[in-house]
Amino acid sequence: MEGGLDAWKKAGLPVLADTSQPLEVNRQVQITAGALVLSGVVLGAAASPAFYLLSAFVGAGLMMAGITGWCGMARLLAIMPWNRRAA
């Protein structure tokens, strides 16, 4: 077991991946935050500068998550139906 899963893969040994499981929550947060920031910037430029506040809000939330270790978006995404185990 020396080297862990990376050494196991590097040795060419078989690894089973469960593709039916959703993306890990961290990746979901990154995708969602990126989409919200991009939407805020595009809407701010195209429709109304007030939409820039969306990008600012997401940025502030990410900063707080980094500082405190608590991420509200991750908590919210974790309870979404696609992240629940099948019965």
Side-chain angles (χ1 to χ4, degrees):
M1 293 305 288
E2 191 171 322
L5 188 57
D6 290 333
W8 184 274
K9 289 178 183 177
K10 195 178 278 188
L13 297 168
V15 177
L16 297 177
D18 188 358
T19 57
S20 68
Q21 294 299 313
L23 295 173
E24 56 269 12
V25 174
N26 274 349
R27 287 185 62 194
Q28 291 181 40
V29 167
Q30 292 170 341
I31 292 167
T32 305
L36 287 171
V37 168
L38 182 61
S39 298
V41 170
V42 169
L43 289 170
S48 168
F51 282 107
Y52 289 128
L53 292 174
L54 174 62
S55 299
F57 180 74
V58 173
L62 291 173
M63 279 182 45
M64 286 304 298
I67 292 168
T68 64
W70 185 87
C71 181
M73 188 184 300
R75 300 277 175 136
L76 179 65
L77 287 169
I79 62 171
M80 290 291 122
W82 58 83
N83 286 324
R84 296 190 185 153
R85 297 241 182 245

